[in-house]
Amino acid sequence: MDSENPVCIGKGQPFIDGMSKASGEAMYTDDMVLPRMLIGKLLGSPYPHAKVENIDFGKALSLNGVKAVVTGRDLGGKTYGTFASRRDESGLAVKARYVGDPVAAVAAVDEETALEALDLIKVDYEVLPAVFDPEEAMEEGAPLIHDGYERNIVAYRKFDFGDVDAGFLHSDYVREDCFFSQAVCHGALEPRSVIAVYELSGKLTIWTSTQAPYKIRRCLSEVLGISQSKIRVVKPYVGGGFGGKVELNSLHVAASLLAMRTRRPVKISLTREEEMLLTRIRAPMRIYVKTGVRKDGVILAQSVDCLADSGAYASTSIMLMYNAGLTCLIPYRIKNFKYEGRMVYTNKPVTGPMRGHGANQPRFAVESQLDMIAEELSMDPAELRLRNATQAGDTSVSGLVFNSCELSKAIKESIRHAGWHKKRGNKQSNRGIGIACGGFVSGARGSGHTASGTFIQVNEEGGVVVLTGSSDIGQGSKTVMAQIVAEELGVPISDVTVLSGDTETTPIDPGTFSSRVTFYAGNATLIAAREIRSKLADIAATLMEANVEDIVFRDEKVFVRGSPEHYVSFRELAKKAEGLGHGRLIIGHGQWAPDNTQFPDRKTQYGNVSGAYSFAAQVAEVEVDRETGQVKILNFTVGDDCGRVINRLGVEGQAEGSVAMGLGQALMEHIIFGENGKIMNPSLLDYKIPTALDCIDTRLIEVGSPDPVGPYGAKEIGEGLLISTVPAICNAIYDAVGIRIKELPVTPEKILKELEKGKE
Amino acid sequence: MDSENPVCIGKGQPFIDGMSKASGEAMYTDDMVLPRMLIGKLLGSPYPHAKVENIDFGKALSLNGVKAVVTGRDLGGKTYGTFASRRDESGLAVKARYVGDPVAAVAAVDEETALEALDLIKVDYEVLPAVFDPEEAMEEGAPLIHDGYERNIVAYRKFDFGDVDAGFLHSDYVREDCFFSQAVCHGALEPRSVIAVYELSGKLTIWTSTQAPYKIRRCLSEVLGISQSKIRVVKPYVGGGFGGKVELNSLHVAASLLAMRTRRPVKISLTREEEMLLTRIRAPMRIYVKTGVRKDGVILAQSVDCLADSGAYASTSIMLMYNAGLTCLIPYRIKNFKYEGRMVYTNKPVTGPMRGHGANQPRFAVESQLDMIAEELSMDPAELRLRNATQAGDTSVSGLVFNSCELSKAIKESIRHAGWHKKRGNKQSNRGIGIACGGFVSGARGSGHTASGTFIQVNEEGGVVVLTGSSDIGQGSKTVMAQIVAEELGVPISDVTVLSGDTETTPIDPGTFSSRVTFYAGNATLIAAREIRSKLADIAATLMEANVEDIVFRDEKVFVRGSPEHYVSFRELAKKAEGLGHGRLIIGHGQWAPDNTQFPDRKTQYGNVSGAYSFAAQVAEVEVDRETGQVKILNFTVGDDCGRVINRLGVEGQAEGSVAMGLGQALMEHIIFGENGKIMNPSLLDYKIPTALDCIDTRLIEVGSPDPVGPYGAKEIGEGLLISTVPAICNAIYDAVGIRIKELPVTPEKILKELEKGKE
């Protein structure tokens, strides 16, 4: 790429599948129809904790149109888990652990019949005592939800760097605060769906809306006891995931069992209610933060303690609780840092990965507290952050290596554009402005396979097909891959086709999570594209009697640098290449994972877990209605360092989407648990998610400089922005009306209550 | 591979998709359903030669449920052709050239509505004079069917090697005979079908039963004026092709236009009648052969002149007529050879490639004549062939290089097994035995792209996925690829998945024709598998501290030669390989076309067009009922040289299939043309195709020795066998009752007539 003058890198590229989606052409899993397909439905437990003693489904099975009933027993005790050390789920339970936990499933010729059959299934339960609160679950004598997990603690992470005690001792000011971040749901527009087909040869094929086809394959293999070689997972269009669609869920297991039993395709599509009840939600977390600073604002020590609610199963608990601590060390230079995080089983719906994956809750706490510290020090909160901001070249006390970092620039630019100084501090008006910062990984080192792979082929007309294992879930990863190829080969994007997410045809890829896709898959694609370019350049160099290094690919032409008028078109070159030696394939492949990362040390947790880190500073301007307590967000200014921007439109979309999602968690979304841990508001009527009318003007300022490791210097943007949105809003509210809410969401009721208190 | 002890090469391997097909699970194009799919139907011309003046389809369009009508005019004059120099078709004609030639198509919500709509379309034709016989078509003043083809000659091939005049002069015996080979159809069990989908982005996707997805793509690109990059062709299961499904046909063009017009998926499935009328049939051909021999039986000169009927369009005429001449020089050492072949347009259904592709008709003629020569020389016909048989190491007078050849062994073994000497010569009994020989190419050098490509990936559980562009149409090519991979990597076939025939995911491949698949795609797969093996062997060598050359892959284990007990399982090795350096993809790719071939010289036609040649000798034993004229085939003995056998079951299937197809052409199949060149018997009721009851005991004797160029030494078998089946039967009939029929098929009527004559 010509860095001074790229063809499409850095430009605004409409998503290559945008038209398909907007027109309704795009086929999602639920749109698919296969001959002889049956419809499946799940039956959930009415109890939060109960052993399934017996299931009598004779009546259901004899209902006309019902083809099979399967139960937890059909799994023969096999379990799966996203992490090998926490294989605690089976999809269909023999012991139900939350209200709604699926225990059986039915396949019938249509939905009505399937629903009718559910009513005819009689389950005998041995009801067990249940527990709904993490603190209570840890107490002596609390019901044990999973065997082998003492005190129901499913994950415990701890690190201790430097000397926090000494740090606090030397601090001029120390404060301790406790915050609470509530359960919210992903709210992806597309509820999930699966179609399973099982062939006589023993081959199982799954179409499902997923972020990680290879994880689905592996987990299905574990719980069904079928070799991965006999399972194919295909990801059609996905209508959003946000982390919720990374894992295997009950519907996949049930549909597979039903397909194996009936030998017919089986489709299960979740209702919105099931989507909220049966899949994953963001972990409610209590965060205790103690921070000590010098009087000039420099942080000398920080201690963070998190207690999170796992719900009924482990999901990604061990990683989530690790992230909660890890990410505290990204934005600021903290030399003495201690972290303890516990995630605890309760008999409630399962919590799991959601955009930010454990970083959001502590960030809300730390960023809120920083403002309280700033006030105490009579210091500008932005200035306080500048004094602690990570710089390029730093290594954190935990071993994170920051090759690139423009956080300071993000802070300065965002406050400048937002008119910070003008707008701050007037607590008698109803308007306020607040800032928060954060940083995130671009993929994190896990155990086992983490590389991404890409295959590319060029056809005789110069068309390019890219096979990537990475999953586009609406974030536009396919478009990024296409841009990289278009840049390297000088072909128009319209000549590039990207196929993604089919375990049988695309190279293995861990999945779309941890903000790894542009970073890993982008680099893999770059390598593959450069292999193609190199092969074609060799041929061009021979044809043009020039040096290979002087061959330029641009605007569909291939020429010697300096002589663009003597060109051969890319198409002609492709055709020539194929003709040489009677037909050569123009194919390239690439695979990539960063060389500069390590799996964190088992004991100390020391290690550089990611190849690069993103940084952001967000400034929110709000207006609070003192009569109603309603908060209106006037605008948002986002200073973002994601290295080099590949797709300006994509990056703007992430910024707007983060702000929308963040304002939801900050102000209105709340999963309410009732008796028995049941979700009381599992519908978009009662669960208040932002709509198009709530979205606000978001100004994005890109401040990043190219990272040495990322493709063209790019880093992540999908998750890092969200984590500072909530505290920016909360800090702005404080600036507006002097109210500090430490328990999300910040509802009108809470604000009014505080305002009342203030009057007293 | 351990040649002494291969794991699966040479064994009988049931087809990996056999169970799917036999159980009915396999999805063919016509089984597919897409949401909102429309059904399309074609409207054919009632005249054999007529310009379309106007098409009034207003009434059809306003019929409820009709969504679009398209006509030849919608193509704007664009045409396509399998060969660039003969782009004479458009799929929907603006000038109809045979009865049934499609001129319009309809898409409606169901079949009934579509058929009703056809009746409402009013076409005004300007009827033109027509011609139905090739000789008449070449005459002065005959109607010109395509502009620019003087005397309606669409293909003229000629070669002249050595000095035939001198050869004849020196011959002790010269005879001239004229033969006629009739039109027959492919008779594949699956009539063809297509589903077309057109997206807003301009992308066209086609599912169709085809032998050559990449040819379909290219030709569609030509006739629709859409870049190949925007066309995806997918081949689902195919129920037989035999050469008939290599090319683009009207249904593909019509379905594409209808999908583009309606923006809905459109399916067109041909009826059996349409399959026989509208696609391709085997070219009727008159073959004149003049052969001169020495009295010891050695052929001194041969002159062959073929006149073939092209039907209304060119199809593969230029190649077919080239093959007709070329293949005469494969089985026998003929030093002086002259060939002239003409293919002529007529206003009849189109003739095109069919198993043997122009070799069958001359072979029937030459092998029949050889027996007549043998009789004249009082020589055993098998002996006559032995005296002329090509030997390994020969180069034909036209430049064909025979690296491997076991024809003599094939002759000797087949006559030995058949009890030749015992059974020959008794013309008073009703039984007779006859022999015929032949040879064929294993893929032929064409212009442009001819290589095959393969991608292979290994997953972390040791499962292997092979992506091959080659098309399995029931001949078992996927199974051959799987065997090669299983052999190289020592994995069970059940762990190998083969995906084929999707222009977007599988590497480009010319297609399944010219008997090229095992040879080209097999070698490409071998290269890819060896790349995988090499990568894994490197890792194993390091692990086991051994030399890479000593690493053995067998029975799912990997070990050092001589120490099989110290092994690592293939799965463990795959997992280790992925874990090394945090996740490496185990991928390999290969592409291959033979190095030892040339495109024949434009002037002289000299050149080695194929990497290897197969040979066969077939012996038929028949019994003729003198009362009814019926011929019963008692048994068939096939001596075959296909180099190394990869799949014994596949090869036996080809032998049995060839014999069945050959006996059909020899004895019963005949496309009857009526007035106006219309096919009178376009149904399996009236067109007599062999059934399961007609198939007879076929003994296959493999005599091949490994070819230096083919994968593991394998050569073709799909077409070479068929070409000698018909003459073997005819020669057996002559041996039985002394009757020589020179015009196929040899019906009971013809036999009885000759027997009558004999009595006079």
Side-chain angles (χ1 to χ4, degrees):
Chain A
M1 175 181 75
D2 178 352
S3 300
E4 303 298 308
N5 191 14
V7 177
C8 60
I9 298 301
K11 306 282 167 72
Q13 175 60 48
F15 285 8
I16 56 181
D17 57 7
M19 250 202 292
S20 277
K21 291 183 181 179
S23 68
E25 270 178 4
M27 199 175 300
Y28 295 83
T29 309
D30 189 48
D31 292 325
M32 290 177 57
V33 171
L34 291 177
R36 305 182 69 237
M37 192 174 77
L38 299 170
I39 303 298
K41 284 287 173 188
L42 300 167
L43 178 70
S45 161
Y47 302 109
H49 201 196
K51 279 190 192 154
V52 173
E53 293 286 297
N54 186 51
I55 302 187
D56 180 356
F57 52 82
K59 262 188 167 175
L61 211 47
S62 49
L63 183 67
N64 188 36
V66 174
K67 300 301 177 186
V69 178
V70 294
T71 75
R73 197 164 293 181
D74 292 316
L75 293 161
K78 293 189 288 298
T79 60
Y80 71 90
T82 296
F83 290 100
S85 59
R86 301 289 190 277
R87 284 174 58 167
D88 68 344
E89 282 187 82
S90 51
L92 290 179
V94 290
K95 183 172 102 147
R97 293 177 173 87
Y98 66 100
V99 173
D101 199 357
V103 299
V106 157
V109 293
D110 54 44
E111 192 179 10
E112 286 75 16
T113 310
L115 287 171
E116 218 185 305
L118 287 187
D119 288 339
L120 297 173
I121 297 175
K122 190 163 122 42
V123 185
D124 294 325
Y125 290 97
E126 178 198 332
V127 180
L128 304 168
V131 62
F132 307 105
D133 174 77
E135 302 238 39
E136 288 175 26
M138 287 196 292
E139 283 171 12
E140 192 86 30
L144 206 63
I145 298 175
H146 287 270
D147 293 334
Y149 291 89
E150 209 181 296
R151 298 173 64 205
N152 285 312
I153 297 175
V154 60
Y156 173 61
R157 302 301 294 257
K158 168 188 161 103
F159 21 104
D160 195 349
F161 297 109
D163 185 342
V164 283
D165 292 333
F168 287 131
L169 215 60
H170 289 118
S171 299
D172 294 314
Y173 176 61
V174 177
R175 54 174 308 149
E176 299 173 47
D177 294 279
C178 200
F179 298 82
F180 182 79
S181 178
Q182 85 287 34
V184 294
C185 74
H186 304 74
L189 218 59
E190 181 212 14
R192 79 204 58 195
S193 203
V194 63
I195 295 179
V197 169
Y198 185 71
E199 296 171 50
L200 254 180
S201 60
K203 168 101 168 271
L204 176 68
T205 304
I206 299 287
W207 288 264
T208 187
S209 51
T210 175
Q211 304 182 215
Y214 295 87
K215 279 207 192 318
I216 298 288
R217 180 176 72 172
R218 178 178 56 75
C219 291
L220 262 180
S221 169
E222 287 171 6
V223 76
L224 297 175
I226 297 175
S227 163
Q228 286 198 46
S229 317
K230 303 300 269 180
I231 300 175
R232 174 181 191 172
V233 180
V234 185
K235 174 202 77 63
Y237 275 95
V238 173
F242 308 114
K245 291 176 181 171
V246 172
E247 303 179 280
L248 191 72
N249 298 117
S250 300
L251 75 164
H252 305 115
V253 179
S256 301
L257 285 176
L258 291 166
M260 289 161 77
R261 182 73 57 80
T262 60
R263 311 306 314 291
R264 289 169 70 161
V266 174
K267 175 195 279 189
I268 299 183
S269 293
L270 299 191
T271 60
R272 174 62 58 182
E273 180 175 354
E274 290 174 312
E275 180 72 16
M276 292 178 72
L277 277 173
L278 306 184
T279 60
R280 302 292 191 247
I281 56 178
R282 194 190 284 286
M285 197 186 290
R286 188 202 68 201
I287 315 100
Y288 162 88
V289 193
K290 177 177 177 182
T291 304
V293 294
R294 247 181 3 216
K295 56 180 182 278
D296 64 351
V298 168
I299 299 167
L300 295 189
Q302 189 168 70
S303 179
V304 176
D305 188 301
C306 296
L307 178 64
D309 190 339
S310 189
Y313 296 98
S315 178
T316 58
S317 54
I318 52 178
M319 189 72 188
L320 198 153
M321 296 315 292
Y322 170 78
N323 276 349
L326 162 80
T327 53
C328 290
L329 287 169
I330 299 177
Y332 305 123
R333 299 165 139 175
I334 303 173
K335 293 296 156 220
N336 304 294
F337 180 81
K338 186 170 166 187
Y339 167 78
E340 271 188 76
R342 287 170 188 77
M343 192 169 239
V344 184
Y345 283 128
T346 62
N347 292 113
K348 297 212 306 299
V350 188
T351 70
M354 180 176 167
R355 199 173 185 181
H357 202 203
N360 318 54
Q361 301 90 328
R363 194 93 245 115
F364 155 63
V366 168
E367 294 296 318
S368 297
Q369 192 189 59
L370 277 178
D371 264 31
M372 294 189 262
I373 288 171
E375 189 174 41
E376 196 68 29
L377 298 180
S378 300
M379 186 178 289
D380 182 315
E383 182 59 32
L384 176 62
R385 286 161 173 87
L386 279 169
R387 292 192 183 183
N388 288 285
T390 294
Q391 303 298 323
D394 282 359
T395 298
S396 84
V397 71
S398 67
L400 310 180
V401 174
F402 304 109
N403 287 317
S404 69
C405 172
E406 298 285 4
L407 178 56
S408 298
K409 192 169 172 194
I411 293 168
K412 289 174 186 164
E413 289 298 301
S414 55
I415 63 173
R416 185 167 70 81
H417 275 91
W420 174 261
H421 295 293
K422 248 189 8 255
K423 298 177 178 175
R424 266 197 79 242
N426 185 356
K427 286 198 182 32
Q428 288 320 302
S429 82
N430 294 334
R431 292 193 173 190
I433 195 166
I435 190 172
C437 295
F440 204 72
V441 298
S442 301
R445 181 69 187 278
S447 56
H449 175 81
T450 50
S452 285
T454 299
F455 286 143
I456 297 182
Q457 5 176 11
V458 179
N459 70 36
E460 67 207 39
E461 266 203 8
V464 185
V465 177
V466 182
L467 292 168
T468 169
S470 63
S471 297
D472 190 324
I473 51 169
Q475 88 280 37
S477 56
K478 287 198 292 192
T479 303
V480 165
M481 303 303 138
Q483 284 181 271
I484 290 171
V485 170
E487 187 73 43
E488 288 298 309
L489 302 181
V491 296
I493 291 250
S494 55
D495 276 359
V496 182
T497 301
V498 181
L499 298 176
S500 71
D502 178 339
T503 61
E504 238 165 40
T505 61
T506 55
I508 193 167
D509 183 285
T512 295
F513 51 84
S514 200
S515 278
R516 56 181 297 289
V517 178
T518 293
F519 203 67
Y520 284 62
N523 265 332
T525 299
L526 194 49
I527 291 169
R530 286 179 174 161
E531 181 180 348
I532 301 262
R533 189 192 158 105
S534 169
K535 288 180 180 179
L536 292 176
D538 277 345
I539 293 166
T542 305
L543 281 175
M544 299 175 171
E545 295 171 349
N547 290 325
V548 156
E549 315 79 58
D550 295 328
I551 301 295
V552 177
F553 289 72
R554 201 173 173 97
D555 296 331
E556 302 180 69
K557 301 186 181 70
V558 184
F559 52 92
V560 178
R561 197 184 314 282
S563 304
E565 68 287 356
H566 297 126
Y567 68 88
V568 63
S569 75
F570 185 83
R571 284 186 182 190
E572 283 168 50
L573 184 61
K575 200 160 179 63
K576 275 202 205 311
E578 291 224 330
L580 285 177
H582 50 75
R584 287 280 164 245
L585 303 181
I586 312 169
I587 53 183
H589 70 283
Q591 50 173 319
W592 191 88
D595 284 331
N596 61 339
T597 64
Q598 309 93 37
F599 195 65
D601 181 87
R602 284 196 182 288
K603 220 162 141 299
T604 65
Q605 304 301 308
Y606 187 90
N608 183 34
V609 301
S610 183
Y613 302 84
S614 66
F615 295 88
Q618 298 196 49
V619 176
E621 191 184 353
V622 307
E623 184 172 64
V624 181
D625 184 330
R626 291 176 187 265
E627 299 297 323
T628 62
Q630 291 223 313
V631 176
K632 182 170 163 188
I633 302 186
L634 301 173
N635 57 66
F636 235 93
T637 309
V638 178
D640 175 69
D641 167 20
C642 65
R644 185 188 300 277
V645 169
I646 293 185
N647 184 357
R648 178 155 298 283
L649 283 184
V651 146
E652 282 167 10
Q654 288 300 322
E656 288 167 14
S658 298
V659 166
M661 193 170 251
L663 82 88
Q665 172 142 29
L667 303 179
M668 55 184 89
E669 293 181 45
H670 198 175
I671 289 185
I672 314 277
F673 297 101
E675 259 191 37
N676 279 350
K678 195 180 142 124
I679 293 183
M680 302 304 292
N681 56 344
S683 88
L684 295 182
L685 255 156
D686 301 316
Y687 176 86
K688 308 294 182 194
I689 199 169
T691 69
L693 298 177
D694 298 301
C695 292
I696 50 93
D697 181 31
T698 302
R699 187 187 305 123
L700 173 68
I701 302 145
E702 277 299 328
V703 302
S705 48
D707 179 84
V709 180
Y712 296 128
K715 302 187 290 188
E716 81 85 38
I717 189 171
E719 290 182 84
L721 286 183
L722 178 59
I723 65 180
S724 41
T725 306
V726 168
I729 293 170
C730 294
N731 288 342
I733 291 170
Y734 184 80
D735 186 59
V737 291
I739 283 164
R740 174 67 60 193
I741 308 288
K742 290 180 170 181
E743 196 168 303
L744 296 172
V746 180
T747 59
E749 289 77 11
K750 288 180 186 169
I751 286 184
L752 284 178
K753 199 159 156 192
E754 290 300 308
L755 285 171
E756 287 294 321
K757 280 203 203 142
K759 289 177 187 157
E760 294 157 10
Chain B
M1 177 182 76
D2 177 355
S3 301
E4 301 300 306
N5 190 12
V7 176
C8 59
I9 299 300
K11 306 281 166 76
Q13 175 60 48
F15 285 7
I16 58 181
D17 55 8
M19 248 200 295
S20 277
K21 291 181 179 178
S23 68
E25 268 178 4
M27 199 175 298
Y28 294 82
T29 308
D30 189 50
D31 292 325
M32 289 179 55
V33 171
L34 291 176
R36 302 183 71 236
M37 192 172 76
L38 300 170
I39 304 298
K41 284 287 171 188
L42 300 167
L43 178 70
S45 163
Y47 302 107
H49 201 196
K51 278 190 192 152
V52 173
E53 294 286 299
N54 186 52
I55 303 188
D56 180 357
F57 52 82
K59 263 190 167 175
L61 211 47
S62 51
L63 183 66
N64 189 37
V66 174
K67 300 300 176 186
V69 178
V70 295
T71 74
R73 196 165 293 181
D74 292 317
L75 293 162
K78 292 190 287 299
T79 58
Y80 70 91
T82 296
F83 289 100
S85 60
R86 299 289 190 279
R87 283 174 59 166
D88 69 344
E89 281 187 83
S90 52
L92 291 179
V94 291
K95 182 171 102 148
R97 294 178 172 87
Y98 65 99
V99 172
D101 198 357
V103 299
V106 158
V109 292
D110 53 45
E111 192 178 10
E112 285 75 17
T113 309
L115 288 169
E116 217 183 305
L118 288 185
D119 287 340
L120 297 174
I121 298 174
K122 189 163 124 40
V123 186
D124 296 326
Y125 291 97
E126 178 197 333
V127 180
L128 305 167
V131 62
F132 306 106
D133 172 77
E135 302 237 39
E136 289 174 26
M138 287 196 293
E139 283 170 13
E140 193 85 31
L144 205 62
I145 299 175
H146 287 270
D147 292 335
Y149 290 90
E150 208 181 300
R151 298 172 64 205
N152 286 311
I153 297 174
V154 60
Y156 173 62
R157 303 301 293 257
K158 167 187 161 104
F159 22 103
D160 195 350
F161 298 108
D163 185 341
V164 283
D165 292 333
F168 287 133
L169 214 62
H170 289 117
S171 299
D172 294 316
Y173 177 62
V174 176
R175 54 172 309 147
E176 298 174 45
D177 295 278
C178 199
F179 297 83
F180 182 79
S181 177
Q182 86 285 36
V184 294
C185 74
H186 304 75
L189 219 58
E190 182 211 12
R192 79 202 59 193
S193 200
V194 62
I195 296 179
V197 168
Y198 186 72
E199 296 171 51
L200 254 180
S201 60
K203 169 97 169 273
L204 177 67
T205 304
I206 299 289
W207 289 263
T208 188
S209 49
T210 175
Q211 301 180 220
Y214 295 87
K215 280 209 191 317
I216 298 288
R217 179 175 73 174
R218 178 178 57 76
C219 291
L220 261 180
S221 169
E222 288 171 4
V223 75
L224 297 175
I226 297 175
S227 162
Q228 286 198 45
S229 317
K230 306 297 270 177
I231 300 174
R232 173 181 191 173
V233 180
V234 184
K235 174 200 78 64
Y237 276 94
V238 174
F242 308 113
K245 291 178 181 170
V246 172
E247 303 178 281
L248 190 73
N249 298 116
S250 300
L251 77 162
H252 304 116
V253 179
S256 300
L257 286 176
L258 290 166
M260 289 161 78
R261 182 72 58 78
T262 60
R263 311 305 315 290
R264 290 170 69 161
V266 175
K267 176 195 278 189
I268 298 182
S269 293
L270 299 190
T271 60
R272 175 60 60 181
E273 181 175 352
E274 290 174 313
E275 180 73 16
M276 292 178 72
L277 278 173
L278 307 184
T279 60
R280 301 296 189 243
I281 56 179
R282 195 191 281 288
M285 197 186 289
R286 188 203 67 198
I287 314 101
Y288 161 90
V289 191
K290 177 177 177 183
T291 305
V293 295
R294 250 185 355 220
K295 57 179 182 278
D296 66 349
V298 169
I299 299 168
L300 293 188
Q302 190 170 69
S303 178
V304 176
D305 188 300
C306 295
L307 178 63
D309 190 339
S310 189
Y313 296 98
S315 178
T316 57
S317 53
I318 52 178
M319 188 74 187
L320 198 153
M321 296 316 291
Y322 171 78
N323 276 351
L326 161 81
T327 52
C328 290
L329 286 168
I330 301 177
Y332 305 122
R333 299 166 140 175
I334 304 173
K335 293 296 157 219
N336 304 294
F337 181 81
K338 187 170 165 184
Y339 168 77
E340 271 190 73
R342 288 170 187 77
M343 192 170 238
V344 184
Y345 284 127
T346 61
N347 290 115
K348 299 212 304 299
V350 188
T351 68
M354 181 175 165
R355 199 172 184 181
H357 202 203
N360 317 54
Q361 302 92 326
R363 195 91 245 115
F364 155 62
V366 167
E367 294 294 319
S368 297
Q369 193 188 58
L370 276 179
D371 263 32
M372 292 190 263
I373 288 171
E375 189 174 43
E376 196 68 28
L377 297 181
S378 301
M379 186 178 289
D380 181 315
E383 182 59 33
L384 175 62
R385 285 162 174 86
L386 279 169
R387 292 193 184 180
N388 288 284
T390 294
Q391 303 297 324
D394 282 359
T395 298
S396 85
V397 69
S398 67
L400 311 181
V401 175
F402 304 109
N403 286 317
S404 69
C405 173
E406 296 285 4
L407 178 57
S408 298
K409 193 169 172 194
I411 294 168
K412 289 174 187 166
E413 288 298 301
S414 55
I415 65 174
R416 185 167 71 80
H417 275 89
W420 176 258
H421 294 291
K422 248 190 7 258
K423 297 178 178 175
R424 267 196 78 243
N426 184 353
K427 289 201 179 31
Q428 289 318 303
S429 83
N430 294 335
R431 293 192 172 187
I433 196 164
I435 191 170
C437 296
F440 205 72
V441 297
S442 302
R445 181 70 187 276
S447 58
H449 174 80
T450 49
S452 285
T454 299
F455 286 143
I456 298 181
Q457 3 176 13
V458 180
N459 70 38
E460 67 207 40
E461 266 204 7
V464 185
V465 176
V466 181
L467 294 169
T468 168
S470 61
S471 297
D472 189 323
I473 51 169
Q475 88 280 37
S477 56
K478 288 198 294 194
T479 304
V480 165
M481 303 303 136
Q483 282 180 274
I484 289 172
V485 170
E487 188 70 43
E488 288 298 309
L489 304 181
V491 295
I493 291 248
S494 55
D495 275 0
V496 181
T497 301
V498 181
L499 300 176
S500 71
D502 177 339
T503 62
E504 239 166 41
T505 60
T506 54
I508 193 167
D509 182 284
T512 296
F513 50 85
S514 198
S515 278
R516 57 180 296 290
V517 178
T518 293
F519 202 67
Y520 284 62
N523 264 332
T525 299
L526 196 48
I527 291 169
R530 285 179 174 161
E531 182 181 347
I532 301 260
R533 189 194 158 105
S534 169
K535 289 181 178 177
L536 292 176
D538 277 346
I539 294 168
T542 306
L543 281 175
M544 297 174 174
E545 295 171 351
N547 290 323
V548 156
E549 314 80 58
D550 294 328
I551 300 294
V552 176
F553 290 72
R554 202 176 173 95
D555 296 331
E556 300 178 71
K557 302 186 181 71
V558 183
F559 51 91
V560 178
R561 196 183 316 280
S563 304
E565 69 287 355
H566 299 127
Y567 70 88
V568 62
S569 76
F570 184 84
R571 284 187 182 189
E572 283 168 49
L573 185 60
K575 201 159 179 65
K576 276 203 203 314
E578 293 224 331
L580 284 179
H582 50 73
R584 289 281 163 243
L585 303 181
I586 312 169
I587 51 184
H589 69 284
Q591 48 175 319
W592 191 87
D595 284 332
N596 61 338
T597 64
Q598 310 93 36
F599 196 64
D601 180 272
R602 285 196 181 286
K603 224 166 141 289
T604 65
Q605 305 300 308
Y606 188 89
N608 182 32
V609 301
S610 183
Y613 302 83
S614 67
F615 296 88
Q618 298 196 48
V619 176
E621 191 184 353
V622 306
E623 185 172 63
V624 180
D625 184 329
R626 292 176 187 265
E627 299 296 324
T628 63
Q630 292 223 312
V631 175
K632 182 171 165 188
I633 303 186
L634 300 174
N635 58 65
F636 234 95
T637 308
V638 177
D640 175 69
D641 167 20
C642 65
R644 184 189 299 278
V645 169
I646 294 186
N647 185 356
R648 178 155 299 282
L649 283 184
V651 145
E652 282 166 11
Q654 289 300 321
E656 287 166 16
S658 298
V659 165
M661 193 170 250
L663 82 89
Q665 173 143 30
L667 301 178
M668 56 183 87
E669 293 181 44
H670 197 177
I671 288 183
I672 314 277
F673 298 101
E675 256 191 36
N676 280 348
K678 194 181 146 131
I679 293 184
M680 304 303 293
N681 57 343
S683 88
L684 295 182
L685 256 155
D686 302 317
Y687 175 86
K688 310 293 181 194
I689 198 169
T691 69
L693 298 177
D694 298 302
C695 293
I696 51 93
D697 181 30
T698 302
R699 186 188 305 123
L700 172 69
I701 301 144
E702 278 298 330
V703 302
S705 48
D707 180 85
V709 180
Y712 296 127
K715 301 187 291 189
E716 80 86 35
I717 188 171
E719 291 181 83
L721 286 183
L722 179 60
I723 66 181
S724 39
T725 305
V726 169
I729 293 171
C730 293
N731 288 342
I733 290 170
Y734 183 81
D735 187 58
V737 292
I739 283 165
R740 173 69 59 193
I741 308 289
K742 290 179 170 180
E743 197 169 303
L744 296 173
V746 180
T747 59
E749 290 78 8
K750 288 180 185 168
I751 287 183
L752 284 178
K753 200 161 159 189
E754 289 301 308
L755 284 172
E756 286 295 322
K757 279 203 203 146
K759 287 179 189 156
E760 293 156 11

